[in-house]
């Protein structure tokens, strides 16, 4: 019977590690994500398409990438509970993420190189 009380006491203390994920915290993160999504739509449909304040190009793409990375941080940190993990696990996941992004950049660079240099050889005619 005392073993049952020890397990119950251990589980009661476990809830304090996730204080930020109560209903109020979930709604707060939801509205942050909603605001970021609305900002992306405002930039895409308002500033670029309708009012033509910003031109399509590197600046707009950089803004989209930054906003998407901020949204990805909130999703991974709060909804996937990575923010509440130990720092060594966070570093491990971060290193893997960096290698994946590096791999994607390498593949895009290599694909762009091959696309432009295959046109120069008559062995593979593009008709």
């Amino acid at each position: 019977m005392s073993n049952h009380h020890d397990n119950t006491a251990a589980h009661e203390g476990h809830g304090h590690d996730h204080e930020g994920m109560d209903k109020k915290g979930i709604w707060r993160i939801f509205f942050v994500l909603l605001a970021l999504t609305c900002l992306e739509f405002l930039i895409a449909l308002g500033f670029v398409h309708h009012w033509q304040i910003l031109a399509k190009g590197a600046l707009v793409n950089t803004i989209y990438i930054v906003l998407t990375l901020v949204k990805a941080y909130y999703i991974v940190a709060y909804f996937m509970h990575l923010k509440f993990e130990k720092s060594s696990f966070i570093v491990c996941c971060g290193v893997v993420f960096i290698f994946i992004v590096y791999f994607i950049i390498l593949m895009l660079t290599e694909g762009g190189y091959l696309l432009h240099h295959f046109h120069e050889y008559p062995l593979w005619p593009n008709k």
Side-chain angles (χ1 to χ4, degrees), residues 22-85:
D22 56 351
K23 285 186 180 181
K24 184 178 179 182
I26 291 172
W27 281 110
R28 182 179 58 85
I29 299 302
F30 169 76
F31 285 117
V32 167
L33 291 172
L34 181 67
L36 289 171
T37 303
C38 289
L39 181 61
E40 285 179 340
F41 273 98
L42 179 69
I43 291 170
L45 299 177
F47 293 147
V48 175
H49 182 68
H50 184 68
W51 299 309
Q52 296 176 351
I53 296 172
L54 295 173
K56 293 179 185 177
L59 175 66
V60 175
N61 289 341
T62 305
I63 292 170
Y64 289 149
I65 290 170
V66 168
L67 289 174
T68 302
L69 288 176
V70 171
K71 285 175 27 177
Y73 165 76
Y74 275 105
I75 291 169
V76 170
Y78 290 99
F79 292 119
M80 296 174 70
H81 305 284
L82 191 61
K83 185 173 175 88
F84 307 111
E85 293 292 335

